Amino acid sequence: MYGADAVSMPTVNLSLSAPSEPKDLVNSLNVLVVLTLLVLAPSLLLVMTSFIRLIVVFSFLRQAMGTQQMPPNQLMVSLALILTFFIMQPVGQKAYDQAVKPYMAKKISYEEAFKQGTQPFKSFMIKNTREKDLALFFRIRKLPNPQNYAAVPLTIAIPAFMISELKSAFEIGFLLYLPFLVIDMVVSSVLMSMGMMMLPPVMISMPFKLLIFVLVDGWNLLIGNLIASFK
């Protein structure tokens, strides 16, 4: 058992020591940055894509129809993710061709790959961001106005894009609410004229909302116009 053929157990050294050379410190910081990006990557990708507008509009639609938890949250998030992949596929393909493929072929450094990979996403965000929102964050940072869109830093493009997407989603949500609000008002008026004030109007109006939404092919119209709203 303790002979020459015994298998030795590997040991792992988890001790922390001061770097002996500046290069060692740089390598450690690079590993830390990469691990941080891997943790934050899903969240960053969601806020840099069409996901924000889609999920907010779907939430408004469910509330306007008064269907409570139908469709369920998991289904709405899954639909928003699938549509996000569909909308962002050309952007992702461009980022892959410009950054990932040259980096894997060892033609560019990872700094250049990061810059080239984020460029298509930044271009998408700026196209769908109001100039007023970009100017807001430039004023907050007290920075001069950029000469062109390429000069807009990513740290300003992301928050400006997010508030622009929220505004667009709220505008679409308002337009979705209007026809369902009219149905609620009509049903409430009819119930009051019939003296049925104790009957909740929502209970009566919800089937009519579902019927009208199905008859006009609501999902087809909504998804088609949502995708067309992105530049």
Side-chain angles (χ1 to χ4, degrees):
M1 182 176 179
Y2 297 98
D5 297 333
V7 178
S8 60
M9 296 297 295
T11 59
V12 179
N13 185 9
L14 298 177
S15 61
L16 298 176
S17 59
S20 58
E21 297 181 3
K23 182 179 179 180
D24 297 334
L25 178 60
V26 173
N27 292 334
S28 300
L29 292 177
N30 287 339
V31 173
L32 179 61
V33 170
V34 171
L35 292 177
T36 304
L37 289 177
L38 288 176
V39 174
L40 298 178
S43 299
L44 289 176
L45 287 177
L46 291 181
V47 301
M48 294 169 62
T49 61
S50 58
F51 181 80
I52 298 176
R53 187 185 305 184
L54 295 173
I55 193 64
V56 173
V57 169
F58 291 159
S59 299
F60 273 123
L61 174 64
R62 187 173 65 181
Q63 294 178 9
M65 295 183 65
T67 54
Q68 302 300 326
Q69 296 298 320
M70 291 302 294
N73 291 330
Q74 186 176 3
L75 180 59
M76 288 204 307
V77 172
S78 299
L79 178 59
L81 284 174
I82 291 175
L83 292 176
T84 299
F85 292 146
F86 177 81
I87 295 171
M88 301 301 298
Q89 191 273 334
V91 179
Q93 185 64 43
K94 188 176 181 180
Y96 178 80
D97 294 336
Q98 292 182 358
V100 178
K101 289 178 67 175
Y103 179 70
M104 294 178 63
K106 299 181 180 180
K107 295 181 180 179
I108 59 176
S109 61
Y110 72 88
E111 292 92 351
E112 183 66 21
F114 177 80
K115 180 180 179 181
Q116 294 294 333
T118 56
Q119 189 63 34
F121 288 93
K122 187 172 75 169
S123 177
F124 172 82
M125 288 189 292
I126 293 177
K127 288 179 181 178
N128 292 276
T129 303
R130 299 182 304 166
E131 293 184 1
K132 182 179 180 180
D133 296 326
L134 287 172
L136 170 66
F137 289 96
F138 273 99
R139 289 198 304 269
I140 294 175
R141 285 285 183 87
K142 298 180 180 180
L143 297 175
N145 293 330
Q147 299 297 325
N148 48 53
Y149 286 149
V152 178
L154 198 62
T155 54
I156 289 180
I158 293 178
F161 171 74
M162 291 180 67
I163 63 174
S164 290
E165 285 295 282
L166 288 174
K167 182 179 185 299
S168 300
F170 273 66
E171 290 175 347
I172 298 173
F174 172 75
L175 296 177
L176 284 174
Y177 254 99
L178 286 180
F180 297 119
L181 181 61
V182 172
I183 296 175
D184 286 333
M185 294 176 63
V186 171
V187 172
S188 298
S189 300
V190 172
L191 291 178
M192 290 184 64
S193 63
M194 296 176 62
M196 304 174 63
M197 293 178 292
M198 300 300 295
L199 184 64
V202 177
M203 183 181 302
I204 306 300
S205 62
M206 187 178 67
F208 289 99
K209 293 178 183 179
L210 292 176
L211 177 62
I212 293 176
F213 191 75
V214 171
L215 289 178
V216 300
D217 201 0
W219 285 111
N220 185 285
L221 291 175
L222 178 62
I223 299 302
N225 285 280
L226 273 177
I227 294 177
S229 65
F230 290 97
K231 300 178 182 178

